[in-house]
Amino acid sequence: MKLLKRVLLLLVVIIGVVVYLNYPKLNIISGYAAKNVASGVFLAHRSAASMNQYDNSAPLIEIASTEIDESEQSASSTVYGMMERTAVYRDGLGAVLINDDYDPKALTIRPQRNQPVDTIPYPYGQAAPLDTVLADVDMDQINKAIAMAFAEPETQKTRTFLILYKGHLIAEKYIDGFDKDTPILGWSMTKSVLATCYGVLEHQGKLEMDWPAPIPEWKDDERKNITLNHLLRMQSGLAWDEDYTGISDVTRMLFLDSDMTQAQRDKKAIAKPTEVWNYSSGTTNLLSGILKQQFRSHQEYLDFPYSALIDKIGMYSMVMEADIAGNYVGSSYAWASTRDWARFGQLHLDKGNWNGEQLFDASWIDYITTPTANSNGTYGAHFWLNAEGKYPDVPRDMFSCNGFEGQHVFMIPSKDLVVVRTGLAEEPYFDVNGVLSNIVKAVP
């Protein structure tokens, strides 16, 4: 009995120490869990059990307990009964973590969607893809690549995989519980969607990349020289800490802020523009706020990404989630099916032309794929690059949208390929170079 009491006391002490050391993080942990489950259940139509078992199984996040309220369309999470956080779902705007600023009656407008049905085969339309056999594709090699992508389910955690070649769907695979219509959270792939809105506006003659960022607070200090181009290239010189392991600029923004466009706006300059390259989710959300400034009304802002880009190319499954203030969280929160993420890649492979309509100028591709100084050839303008051969067996012209836990849309112009991979683990568990090199070998 004495031994049992000592063991129990030791466990209590250990738990107490763990809680004490991590208590400041509990707000982030429970917030992440609640937001993820609310979006997964009410937007992606996954089960709460599946979200908790798989999507919230990451270190620390797994200690959160989450419950669903179907009537309120909300999810609430705690860590050992402490630090409860609640996320609510808003049709058209996705889920949002609420706080004392949240007023359910404050934001009543929603994006207006136009989703006509057509008879054009996928990926350019809504009809079934053509059952076409392309003679120049080595399907044995394609199947080898797909098998490699799913070979180790416990570590790779690949969920969906799709290949377009010359605008044709040549292969796709889904694990149980996912199919061609299941929305997948793109995480930072959302950054590329937000950036493309700027390409559309530039094509419409409404802005230019060398314009100074229209931030009144910056006009009388060194930040006045920061341009839209600097922001799109993550080379503004503004301070930012993109650390997801603790309380940092990015975790405070995503899990505590009501208006996520403000966090980067308020930061001081630590270098002149172009002197440093510093990846920043805050910068993308600042760009979302600047995008909002281009329109006369909040409704026009909410409508624009859909009317000018997303619905234009038939990405009807996509939902861009907004913060409490109604700003799109362009850094992290766009959901779309694997097939719709592939449409986005095909649009860029086709240099902005979709069924004969030019959505952004062809030169935009040259712009976003030009390496940014100090990024070691890995980053352009809100797109990732292979310009200096990070993936040695993949063509150097490959560019991509990348997201947390290994979400990818790869575009390889020289091979006329779009490859989409989604999952719950990234490199080194998912071998990007190995899988893509096998696909590349399968086509001329």
Side-chain angles (χ1 to χ4, degrees):
M1 182 61 71
K2 289 183 178 180
L3 178 61
L4 177 60
K5 288 181 178 179
R6 288 175 181 175
V7 170
L8 290 174
L9 178 60
L10 179 61
L11 287 174
V12 170
V13 171
I14 291 173
I15 292 172
V17 170
V18 170
V19 170
Y20 174 77
L21 293 176
N22 289 284
Y23 188 78
K25 298 180 183 178
L26 299 189
N27 215 347
I28 307 300
I29 294 170
S30 57
Y32 180 108
K35 164 67 179 63
N36 212 25
V37 171
S39 294
V41 170
F42 299 111
L43 191 160
H45 309 295
R46 302 259 312 282
S47 72
S50 174
M51 291 298 299
N52 281 315
Q53 182 177 356
Y54 300 109
D55 299 65
N56 281 359
S57 64
L60 290 183
I61 306 302
E62 63 189 352
I63 67 176
S65 299
T66 307
E67 295 183 355
I68 289 292
D69 186 328
E70 293 283 355
S71 62
E72 295 293 330
Q73 290 194 299
S74 67
S76 296
S77 299
T78 61
V79 181
Y80 303 127
M82 296 178 288
M83 204 67 81
E84 183 176 34
R85 298 295 305 278
T86 298
V88 299
Y89 177 71
R90 306 154 300 169
D91 188 44
L93 294 174
V96 66
L97 280 168
I98 63 174
N99 55 30
D100 292 340
D101 294 335
Y102 179 68
D103 178 358
K105 299 179 181 178
L107 184 61
T108 58
I109 58 174
R110 297 291 184 267
Q112 298 174 350
R113 307 287 299 263
N114 180 29
Q115 302 178 348
V117 177
D118 58 53
T119 58
I120 303 171
Y122 175 83
Y124 296 105
Q126 299 302 313
L130 295 173
D131 188 13
T132 303
V133 177
L134 300 178
D136 56 350
V137 179
D138 182 345
M139 288 306 300
D140 288 338
Q141 188 69 35
I142 291 292
N143 291 331
K144 177 182 177 181
I146 294 175
M148 184 178 182
F150 288 87
E152 299 176 12
E154 296 302 315
T155 54
Q156 288 175 314
K157 299 182 180 180
T158 298
R159 288 176 155 177
T160 75
F161 201 85
L162 183 151
I163 304 171
L164 297 178
Y165 174 58
K166 293 184 176 179
H168 293 271
L169 177 64
I170 62 170
E172 61 184 333
K173 182 175 180 178
Y174 303 88
I175 65 169
D176 290 345
F178 292 80
D179 60 31
K180 63 181 180 61
D181 299 314
T182 306
I184 306 287
L185 175 57
W187 288 108
S188 286
M189 295 203 298
T190 312
K191 290 179 171 69
S192 301
V193 179
L194 191 282
T196 304
C197 290
Y198 276 80
V200 173
L201 283 176
E202 181 189 53
H203 180 64
Q204 295 176 352
K206 296 178 179 177
L207 54 73
E208 296 178 13
M209 294 307 108
D210 61 357
W211 283 4
I215 309 297
E217 298 93 326
W218 296 359
K219 63 183 179 66
D220 295 322
D221 61 37
E222 66 273 21
R223 296 174 295 179
K224 66 179 180 293
N225 296 317
I226 298 172
T227 66
L228 298 178
N229 174 60
H230 295 141
L231 295 172
L232 284 164
R233 293 189 175 280
M234 303 288 187
Q235 56 175 190
S236 66
L238 294 173
W240 186 261
D241 181 14
E242 188 88 3
D243 177 11
Y244 290 88
T245 63
I247 297 177
S248 67
D249 291 335
V250 68
T251 55
R252 277 192 294 266
M253 176 186 70
L254 289 177
F255 304 111
L256 298 175
D257 287 357
S258 300
D259 181 347
M260 297 189 199
T261 71
Q262 285 293 130
Q264 184 72 93
R265 179 189 298 248
D266 296 337
K267 293 293 182 180
K268 300 299 182 182
I270 58 173
K272 293 180 181 178
T274 75
E275 285 187 344
V276 297
W277 179 80
N278 185 31
Y279 185 80
S280 164
S281 290
T283 290
T284 308
N285 288 334
L286 172 59
L287 283 165
S288 181
I290 294 173
L291 182 68
K292 186 178 180 180
Q293 293 175 228
Q294 309 308 307
F295 301 96
R296 292 171 297 178
S297 70
H298 196 166
Q299 184 69 63
E300 289 178 294
Y301 162 73
L302 291 178
D303 292 346
F304 178 76
Y306 295 105
S307 63
L309 174 63
I310 296 168
D311 289 345
K312 278 277 188 181
I313 65 171
M315 293 179 70
Y316 298 159
S317 70
M318 176 166 276
V319 173
M320 293 183 68
E321 297 184 290
D323 62 20
I324 287 176
N327 305 297
Y328 287 125
V329 187
S331 66
S332 315
Y333 293 152
W335 296 70
S337 69
T338 302
R339 283 192 176 187
D340 278 354
W341 281 117
R343 291 182 205 265
F344 186 73
Q346 190 64 47
L347 172 69
H348 286 77
L349 209 62
D350 293 340
K351 297 186 175 182
N353 190 286
W354 196 259
N355 291 328
E357 182 178 3
Q358 198 71 36
L359 302 188
F360 53 77
D361 196 84
S363 63
W364 178 255
I365 301 301
D366 297 327
Y367 170 70
I368 63 174
T369 58
T370 298
T372 295
N374 301 311
S375 73
N376 295 319
T378 63
Y379 205 75
H382 269 52
F383 285 78
W384 293 90
L385 311 179
N386 195 39
E388 293 189 13
K390 177 182 179 180
Y391 304 114
D393 302 311
V394 180
R396 296 290 183 96
D397 67 343
M398 188 267 282
F399 61 108
S400 63
C401 318
N402 296 352
F404 176 57
E405 295 185 316
Q407 319 315 314
H408 296 288
V409 178
F410 299 107
M411 292 143 282
I412 310 178
S414 59
K415 294 291 185 175
D416 218 341
L417 282 166
V418 174
V419 180
V420 179
R421 184 267 183 179
T422 75
L424 289 178
E426 50 198 70
E427 293 182 283
Y429 302 105
F430 178 71
D431 182 3
V432 171
N433 184 71
V435 172
L436 290 184
S437 64
N438 273 293
I439 296 171
V440 165
K441 293 173 185 176
V443 299

